[in-house]
């Protein structure tokens, strides 16, 4: 049931908290999974003044950029690997996002720059805006 804690909540809450320690986004997009709609997850976002974007069921175009990131993550990391345990999942996905996606993979929406190159080129350092 939405709003309540679930057994898988640490799988979403822990990465959210880690991400918020590095940078606070203006917007956080997610699907209608109960882990994301729990009171603790939503209140964590609210404490950081993060706007919430929730896709309606069957409407992946609600936030195309976020949906594309998830598709890329699945196609280029998750579906290509067998993981032995949750620690390996966290390490490998974290590495993919931090090192491959942000620093090695160019993005058409960013003029074929990596996110790190785009951030540097546009003089945007989001960690400077952390409360």
């Amino acid at each position: 049931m939405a709003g309540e804690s679930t057994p898988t909540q640490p799988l979403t809450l822990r990465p959210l908290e880690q991400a918020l320690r590095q940078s606070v986004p203006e917007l956080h997009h997610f699907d209608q999974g109960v882990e994301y709609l729990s009171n603790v997850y939503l209140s964590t976002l609210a404490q950081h003044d993060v706007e919430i974007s929730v896709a309606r069921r069957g409407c992946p175009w609600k936030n195309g950029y976020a949906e594309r990131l998830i598709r890329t993550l699945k196609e280029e990391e998750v579906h290509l690997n067998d993981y032995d345990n949750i620690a390996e999942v966290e390490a490998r996905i974290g590495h993919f996002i931090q090192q491959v996606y942000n620093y090695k993979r160019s993005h058409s929406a960013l003029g074929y720059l990596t996110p790190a190159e785009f951030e540097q080129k546009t003089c945007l350092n989001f960690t400077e805006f952390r409360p």
Side-chain angles (χ1 to χ4, degrees):
M1 178 184 294
E4 295 179 9
S5 181
T6 67
T8 58
Q9 191 173 54
L11 296 176
T12 54
L13 188 58
R14 193 171 342 131
L16 173 65
E17 291 169 340
Q18 290 172 343
L20 290 171
R21 283 193 292 274
Q22 292 178 15
S23 165
V24 177
E26 292 180 25
L27 178 75
H28 180 56
H29 177 77
F30 49 88
D31 63 21
Q32 293 189 21
V34 294
E35 298 87 356
Y36 304 110
L37 297 174
S38 71
N39 291 332
V40 67
Y41 197 91
L42 295 175
S43 68
T44 300
L45 291 170
Q47 289 168 7
H48 290 85
D49 294 322
V50 177
E51 183 180 342
I52 296 168
S53 170
V54 181
R56 287 189 353 220
R57 284 191 199 280
C59 297
W61 54 87
K62 168 75 173 167
N63 188 328
Y65 293 118
E67 297 292 338
R68 183 65 177 107
L69 165 63
I70 297 303
R71 182 175 133 195
T72 299
L73 176 62
K74 288 178 180 178
E75 289 176 349
E76 297 180 18
E77 172 59 34
V78 175
H79 294 162
L80 299 177
N81 294 289
D82 291 321
Y83 305 105
D84 293 327
N85 53 54
I86 193 65
E88 184 179 359
V89 172
E90 290 176 349
R92 297 282 299 273
I93 289 177
H95 175 268
F96 178 83
I97 292 170
Q98 292 297 325
Q99 300 303 315
V100 177
Y101 192 83
N102 288 339
Y103 287 92
K104 294 180 181 175
R105 193 175 189 289
S106 62
H107 301 264
S108 59
L110 302 178
Y112 294 95
L113 299 172
T114 67
E117 291 168 334
F118 181 80
E119 183 178 25
Q120 184 177 27
K121 184 177 180 179
T122 59
C123 300
L124 295 175
N125 185 347
F126 297 110
T127 57
E128 292 177 8
F129 300 108
R130 207 172 11 177

